Amino acid sequence: AQTVTQSQPEMSVQEAETVTLSCTYDTSESDYYLFWYKQPPSRQMILVIRQEAYKQQNATENRFSVNFQKAAKSFSLKISDSQLGDAAMYFCAYRGGGSNYKLTFGKGTLLTVNP
Amino acid sequence: DSGVTQTPKHLITATGQRVTLRCSPRSGDLSVYWYQQSLDQGLQFLIQYYNGEERAKGNILERFSAQQFPDLHSELNLSSLELGDSALYFCASSPLPSGTDTQYFGPGTRLTVL
């Protein structure tokens, strides 16, 4: 079974600085998808960024980018120019490329942004 | 706003009772997923429906059941409730049950069992 590990339960960053959240996963599949979701205090799950395993190029979405290392099974999220609104719980998630489309989530990293 | 709606927002009930959680997917989405978020287990996949048919099951208890109706809304039924069922229940939807689709989440239903 696939597992997703987020080794940093909590992280903090100063406003306008850069922070990197770590995620590793375990899978025997070659085709899969990886996601970062953000859960602010409102509890809404918001998609931040996604990465297809077959793509070598790292995904970027404005201030958010990933460092996808397929051989190392690592998928970290970099947040540049951190803003107060970035404070939230961040979840890394895995989905296989087969017929089961469930998301497997890590335990999450709570990000605090200090003014 | 993801376009996925869930009702009710909050639900407080007693042990042994039965409740129904409702989800309306985004317009055009045919696939619905249910997830449970608890302090003990984190975020866990429960069940998936596509166009009215069950497609995949996760760690869903036998006391729980779900269905997707012809208008594509879905209901999650929880019966013989226990204290440990207290959690945030999310519904997510995607256009198709394909690997390329992203799942968009609703705001969740907070269930408290007393």
Side-chain angles (χ1 to χ4, degrees):
Chain A
Q2 293 80 18
T3 57
V4 178
T5 303
Q6 294 180 249
S7 59
Q8 307 152 315
E10 296 185 27
M11 292 280 285
S12 64
V13 63
Q14 291 297 125
E15 198 175 1
E17 296 295 308
T18 295
V19 64
T20 298
L21 309 184
S22 300
C23 172
T24 58
Y25 57 94
D26 186 26
T27 183
S28 57
E29 297 178 299
S30 58
D31 181 26
Y32 52 88
Y33 302 81
L34 296 164
F35 305 83
W36 279 98
Y37 281 88
K38 167 185 176 181
Q39 187 177 40
S42 67
R43 297 294 189 180
Q44 174 82 48
M45 292 289 288
I46 302 166
L47 177 68
V48 175
I49 200 165
R50 62 174 272 165
Q51 173 80 42
E52 293 84 351
Y54 62 83
K55 288 187 178 178
Q56 291 189 329
Q57 187 171 5
N58 289 325
T60 62
E61 287 287 343
N62 301 313
R63 298 182 295 106
F64 298 87
S65 62
V66 298
N67 183 4
F68 173 49
Q69 302 290 326
K70 191 171 184 179
K73 295 181 182 174
S74 170
F75 182 61
S76 60
L77 175 69
K78 186 170 85 170
I79 307 174
S80 303
D81 186 25
S82 297
Q83 301 176 359
L84 295 178
D86 295 333
M89 183 72 86
Y90 286 81
F91 291 96
C92 177
Y94 169 101
R95 190 180 75 218
S99 60
N100 189 337
Y101 302 113
K102 70 170 187 177
L103 289 168
T104 299
F105 288 90
K107 296 283 188 190
T109 296
L110 180 63
L111 178 66
T112 303
V113 181
N114 301 308
Chain B
D1 185 357
S2 66
V4 180
T5 60
Q6 289 187 248
T7 56
K9 197 170 182 179
H10 300 281
L11 199 47
I12 301 174
T13 188
T15 54
Q17 296 298 305
R18 173 189 170 94
V19 297
T20 297
L21 313 184
R22 182 187 169 104
C23 166
S24 292
R26 296 186 319 160
S27 177
D29 285 359
L30 301 178
S31 198
V32 168
Y33 310 76
W34 286 96
Y35 292 86
Q36 178 195 57
Q37 185 178 29
S38 66
L39 286 174
D40 292 344
Q41 303 294 330
L43 268 160
Q44 287 199 102
F45 168 73
L46 295 178
I47 197 164
Q48 177 203 358
Y49 278 83
Y50 169 64
N51 207 17
E53 293 189 4
E54 181 185 305
R55 288 295 293 261
K57 259 185 175 178
N59 299 323
I60 187 165
L61 300 172
E62 285 191 10
R63 300 183 286 107
F64 296 0
S65 65
Q67 55 184 327
Q68 186 180 28
F69 294 86
D71 67 351
L72 301 177
H73 90 272
S74 178
E75 293 181 356
L76 179 67
N77 301 295
L78 316 176
S79 61
S80 301
L81 286 167
E82 302 174 359
L83 295 177
D85 298 328
S86 295
L88 189 54
Y89 291 85
F90 285 108
C91 167
S93 75
S94 66
L96 296 171
S98 78
T100 58
D101 283 354
T102 293
Q103 295 175 29
Y104 292 93
F105 283 72
T109 293
R110 164 81 63 191
L111 173 66
T112 303
V113 182
L114 301 175

